[in-house]
Amino acid sequence: MASRRDITFGGAALLASGIVGGPARAVGSHRGVSDGPLMTTPRATHVAVARPDGGVLCIGGFSSEGRALATTDLFDPRSRAFVAGPELRRSRIQPIAVRIADDRVLVVGGEWDREVSTAEICEPGSGFRHLADLTDRRTAGALALLHDGRVLICGGSRPGYRMTASAELLDPATGKSVPVGPMLTERAGHTATTLADGRVLVAGGGEGDEVLASTEIFDPRSESFSAGPDLAAARLKHSAGRLADGRILIVGGQGADTDVSRGRLAACELYDGQVVTVGAAMAASRYKLEGGIAIFPDGRLIVASGAAFAEVLADGAFQRLDGNFDASREFMTATAISSDEALIAGGYDQDIRTTRRTWFASLATST
């Protein structure tokens, strides 16, 4: 995402070499979706982190053979092509990441042969290095960057697919992580989003076979969780982000009906720091949206993952963008690369086939 207010992804100034895929086809000035350059590796369940210069780092995930990846792909905004980025120290399926001070990138969690309990950091012009051992193993957890630079890591699935309520605070400056909380409810597939006042909204997720409508508020002053307002709809593997006006938008996911064909949600909700209200509905019901939305500084938002097309939220309503992807894909990432353009990358189709393909989504309307 373009800034710290946009979910958990930021930017990082990184160096890489080995251009592949050739220059991208220019998007042009029309509003819609067009083909982007190929990544070096097919990937899904990866995480995408925006660079301040309009580049994007795609990290980890799994390949078309189901192999966990330690590789990264870096989108170069000058050539509009991908280059091979620095390798992780550990392969990670479904990691979580955040930009921290000095344009460094922090990567935690994920799954390989078992849930990963380490944190890695990548500094500008350097590769990844071990930063810290975490207090718990987890995948499908959530994190949020606090105003003081510490990172809240909470929930997720432990080995054996057991949900956890554990939480910890990682200080990137010291490389130390300490337990806090725990949360009131075990949950995985939830979101954690920092509010304007520094608190963190933890929303939805799953507890065993139950999809949750509950939320929790983490207060960094007391380092504890308290109950927040219930969502209008229980939801799992949704996405959430902070809009320009400070409200948290909660988008899509799997609802209480665990039949995936029926339970996907088009409905969105808004949290203003006090109450939850129902927002606009998307054109498509979407699931496995983690990282699949891009928020722009002017408050517009692109949703990509979970369908064969992208749509934009502008002036309080969703509108479908012209153009389609090659298939309906889940676990795509969407990252703002300018004030009116996003890069959409990877994902898998209904047969769990990953892709190297990417797309540009443009909101420009002038010639």
Side-chain angles (χ1 to χ4, degrees), residues 130-222:
H130 175 82
L131 176 68
D133 291 320
L134 303 180
T135 64
D136 204 352
R137 296 181 180 272
R138 66 185 83 232
T139 191
L143 63 72
L145 180 63
L146 305 182
H147 289 178
D148 64 7
R150 294 180 298 169
V151 177
L152 173 69
I153 307 165
C154 60
S157 175
R158 285 172 167 161
Y161 296 99
R162 295 177 293 112
M163 307 299 113
T164 180
S166 72
E168 54 193 291
L169 281 175
L170 172 61
D171 186 345
T174 64
K176 302 294 184 183
S177 193
V178 297
V180 294
M183 295 191 297
L184 306 180
T185 303
E186 297 175 350
R187 63 181 79 221
H190 53 293
T191 52
T193 314
T194 305
L195 300 166
D197 63 10
R199 298 177 300 154
V200 176
L201 173 70
V202 177
E207 181 187 17
D209 294 330
E210 180 185 1
V211 181
L212 299 172
S214 64
T215 73
E216 305 185 30
I217 304 296
F218 176 76
D219 188 335
R221 294 168 298 181
S222 63

Side-chain angles (χ1 to χ4, degrees), residues 115-361:
E115 285 74 3
V116 181
S117 62
T118 58
E120 303 183 36
I121 195 167
C122 189
E123 299 180 0
S126 181
F128 284 94
R129 63 175 177 83
H130 175 82
L131 176 68
D133 291 320
L134 303 180
T135 64
D136 204 352
R137 296 181 180 272
R138 66 185 83 232
T139 191
L143 63 72
L145 180 63
L146 305 182
H147 289 178
D148 64 7
R150 294 180 298 169
V151 177
L152 173 69
I153 307 165
C154 60
S157 175
R158 285 172 167 161
Y161 296 99
R162 295 177 293 112
M163 307 299 113
T164 180
S166 72
E168 54 193 291
L169 281 175
L170 172 61
D171 186 345
T174 64
K176 302 294 184 183
S177 193
V178 297
V180 294
M183 295 191 297
L184 306 180
T185 303
E186 297 175 350
R187 63 181 79 221
H190 53 293
T191 52
T193 314
T194 305
L195 300 166
D197 63 10
R199 298 177 300 154
V200 176
L201 173 70
V202 177
E207 181 187 17
D209 294 330
E210 180 185 1
V211 181
L212 299 172
S214 64
T215 73
E216 305 185 30
I217 304 296
F218 176 76
D219 188 335
R221 294 168 298 181
S222 63
E223 299 184 351
S224 62
F225 293 85
S226 59
D230 282 352
L231 302 175
R235 59 186 74 222
L236 164 75
K237 296 185 180 179
H238 52 285
S239 198
R242 187 170 132 202
L243 301 176
D245 62 9
R247 293 180 299 168
I248 306 301
L249 179 68
I250 302 163
V251 180
Q254 175 71 31
D257 187 338
T258 55
D259 184 313
V260 174
S261 63
R262 298 192 305 263
R264 300 183 184 202
L265 299 174
C268 300
E269 305 184 46
L270 292 159
Y271 176 67
D272 65 1
Q274 297 293 327
V275 298
V276 173
T277 56
V278 176
M282 295 183 290
S285 300
R286 297 175 184 264
Y287 173 51
K288 297 182 179 177
L289 272 172
E290 295 96 319
I293 68 174
I295 300 178
F296 295 87
D298 64 3
R300 293 179 298 174
L301 175 146
I302 285 177
V303 184
S305 189
F309 61 90
E311 50 191 299
V312 57
L313 174 64
D315 299 323
F318 282 96
Q319 303 172 32
R320 178 171 174 167
L321 290 177
D322 293 339
N324 291 326
F325 309 128
D326 64 329
S328 178
R329 293 191 174 275
E330 297 171 342
F331 286 117
M332 307 171 87
T333 54
T335 313
I337 58 176
S338 74
S339 61
D340 59 10
E341 188 179 23
L343 178 73
I344 300 164
Y348 62 60
D349 63 16
Q350 62 181 359
D351 297 316
I352 320 297
R353 293 176 298 196
T354 59
T355 185
R356 295 171 59 194
R357 295 189 65 176
T358 70
W359 295 263
F360 295 114

Side-chain angles (χ1 to χ4, degrees), residues 34-60:
S34 60
D35 290 340
L38 296 177
M39 294 186 287
T40 65
T41 303
R43 65 180 75 235
T45 71
H46 56 290
V47 63
V49 180
R51 292 177 49 174
D53 65 356
V56 178
L57 184 70
C58 296
I59 304 168

Side-chain angles (χ1 to χ4, degrees), residues 2-13:
S3 70
R4 190 171 68 185
R5 80 168 170 246
D6 301 336
I7 315 181
T8 58
F9 312 133

